[in-house]
């Protein structure tokens, strides 16, 4: 296991760069070229704070590299992010998704063991969940790239997550291996792709703030909530059933969590494709310039 961890670490250190040599889009190129200047005058409200943030290191490179300046920059960006309703919605939904993912894989054996399934069965369930999740993430990524319909895919995805979760809890009983295995595959196929989908919507809604900052806060929140999920689910698994299956306290807890995520993403999240808007404006300028030539 140590060798398997060291090999990708070496590859990442020596073969991966922090950014591609050619910017993947006009918006990325703009952020690189003007990282120390005023940017994004098209967005009112938050743009004033953002312009101040991106000018903080223009005069003195040594001062800009100090910990104090980095801390001030982080505070400014945190103020912008958590003043953005869309970001707060994505933050909560992402935290619920990652928290559920971590708690499910951590407590998988404790979830299925009371219904007569062995450690080997739990390992099979987990492997199918992850494998189908990777397939789903690849498919959703391709569809996102093809259609750019991030919000529509997000709403369909969270709805399918809720359906697959209910199906999983309904099929969680003794001597039901194959249907339960199918439900784990469907659960992975719908839940795992939500994570990159939420990340993409986050990058769009918070542009031109660096994705490392916005996603960093989301991962911190999701890991903290993941701990709460694990301890809460572990406690609820020990409580008696509230009625006939699937009315277990642990199942009700998961239903409520996903219902909250569904309500936030369907009811409160409003697409704000800032990065796409900027790329479209730049393409129009390039097209106009080429036509004049």
């Amino acid at each position: 296991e140590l060798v398997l961890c060291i090999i990708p670490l070496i590859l990442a250190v020596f073969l991966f760069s922090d950014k591609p040599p050619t910017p993947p889009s006009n918006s990325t190129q703009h952020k690189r070229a003007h990282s120390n200047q005023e940017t994004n005058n098209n967005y009112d409200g938050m743009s004033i704070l953002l312009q101040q943030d991106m000018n903080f290191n223009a005069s003195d490179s040594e001062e800009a590299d100090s910990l104090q300046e980095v801390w001030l920059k982080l505070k400014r960006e945190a103020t912008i992010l958590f003043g953005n309703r869309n970001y707060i919605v994505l933050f909560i939904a992402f935290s619920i998704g990652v928290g559920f993912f971590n708690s499910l894989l951590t407590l998988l054996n404790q979830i299925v063991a009371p219904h007569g399934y062995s450690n080997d069965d739990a390992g099979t369930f987990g492997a199918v969940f992850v494998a189908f999740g990777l397939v789903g993430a690849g498919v959703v990524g391709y569809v996102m790239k093809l259609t750019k319909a991030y919000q529509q895919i997000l709403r369909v995805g969270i709805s399918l997550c809720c359906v697959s979760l209910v199906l999983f809890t309904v099929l969680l009983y003794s001597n039901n291996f194959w249907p339960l295995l199918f439900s784990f595959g469907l659960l992975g196929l719908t839940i795992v792709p939500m994570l990159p989908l939420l990340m993409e919507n986050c990058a769009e809604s918070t542009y031109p703030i660096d994705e490392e900052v916005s996603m960093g806060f989301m991962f911190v929140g999701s890991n903290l909530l993941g701990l709460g999920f694990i301890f809460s689910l572990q406690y609820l698994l020990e409580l008696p059933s509230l009625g006939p299956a699937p009315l277990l306290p642990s199942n009700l807890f998961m239903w409520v969590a996903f219902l909250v995520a569904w309500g936030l993403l369907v009811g409160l999240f409003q697409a704000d494709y800032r990065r796409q808007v900027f790329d479209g404006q730049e393409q129009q300028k390039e097209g106009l310039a080429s036509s004049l030539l």
Side-chain angles (χ1 to χ4, degrees):
E1 293 182 358
L2 178 62
V3 173
L4 292 177
C5 293
I6 291 177
I7 291 175
L9 175 62
I10 294 175
L11 293 175
V13 170
F14 292 101
L15 298 182
F16 284 83
S17 59
D18 59 341
K19 60 187 68 174
T22 303
S25 63
N26 289 324
S27 55
T28 305
Q29 184 177 8
H30 184 265
K31 283 169 62 176
R32 285 193 192 180
H34 302 278
S35 59
N36 298 325
Q37 301 174 5
E38 292 184 357
T39 62
N40 197 20
N41 294 323
N42 295 324
Y43 302 115
D44 54 0
M46 294 189 302
S47 62
I48 298 176
L49 288 173
L50 186 59
Q51 291 165 11
Q52 296 173 355
D53 168 55
M54 300 183 78
N55 281 320
F56 83 98
N57 59 351
S59 60
D60 192 343
S61 59
E62 292 183 359
E63 181 181 359
D65 291 335
S66 68
L67 291 177
Q68 182 178 4
E69 291 293 340
V70 172
W71 173 247
L72 291 174
K73 177 178 183 292
L74 188 62
K75 286 177 64 177
R76 294 189 192 102
E77 292 183 338
T79 301
I80 296 170
L81 288 173
F82 289 99
N84 183 341
R85 189 186 71 172
N86 281 334
Y87 180 76
I88 295 175
V89 169
L90 294 172
F91 179 89
I92 297 173
F94 185 85
S95 299
I96 291 174
V98 175
F100 173 79
F101 179 86
N102 291 338
S103 60
L104 178 66
L105 295 183
T106 302
L107 302 173
L108 183 55
N109 186 55
Q110 294 165 257
I111 293 173
V112 300
H115 302 279
Y117 298 101
S118 64
N119 290 337
D120 292 338
D121 294 334
T124 302
F125 293 146
V128 169
F129 176 86
V130 173
F132 276 77
L134 294 176
V135 172
V139 172
V140 170
Y142 177 77
V143 174
M144 282 196 299
K145 181 180 179 180
L146 192 65
T147 65
K148 304 294 184 182
Y150 300 138
Q151 183 176 18
Q152 291 80 359
I153 300 173
L154 187 66
R155 289 178 172 178
V156 172
I158 189 61
S159 300
L160 292 176
C161 285
C162 294
V163 172
S164 63
L165 177 65
V166 171
L167 180 64
F168 158 68
T169 55
V170 168
L171 295 176
L172 183 59
Y173 58 85
S174 303
N175 301 319
N176 195 40
F177 179 83
W178 291 108
L180 185 59
L181 185 67
F182 169 79
S183 72
F184 268 102
L186 185 61
L187 200 62
L189 191 66
T190 56
I191 288 180
V192 175
M194 287 297 297
L195 304 183
L197 183 55
L198 287 165
M199 293 168 66
E200 192 67 27
N201 276 274
C202 175
E204 287 287 346
S205 299
T206 60
Y207 177 83
I209 293 178
D210 290 336
E211 292 87 347
E212 308 91 73
V213 177
S214 57
M215 288 309 308
F217 282 120
M218 290 178 71
F219 273 107
V220 170
S222 63
N223 281 287
L224 292 176
L225 188 62
L227 291 175
F229 255 81
I230 291 173
F231 289 119
S232 300
L233 201 57
Q234 191 173 25
Y235 170 75
L236 293 172
L237 286 170
E238 300 175 357
L239 298 180
S241 176
L242 302 176
L247 297 180
L248 300 173
S250 56
N251 291 345
L252 295 177
F253 173 73
M254 291 186 286
W255 290 351
V256 170
F258 270 75
L259 184 62
V260 170
W262 180 86
L264 289 172
L265 295 178
V266 174
L268 294 181
F269 180 73
Q270 298 296 325
D272 187 11
Y273 297 156
R274 300 179 174 188
R275 192 171 56 179
Q276 286 189 34
V277 169
F278 182 86
D279 286 337
Q281 292 173 347
E282 291 299 307
Q283 290 175 1
Q284 290 179 358
K285 292 178 181 178
E286 292 174 359
L288 180 60
S290 60
S291 63
L292 292 176
L293 294 176

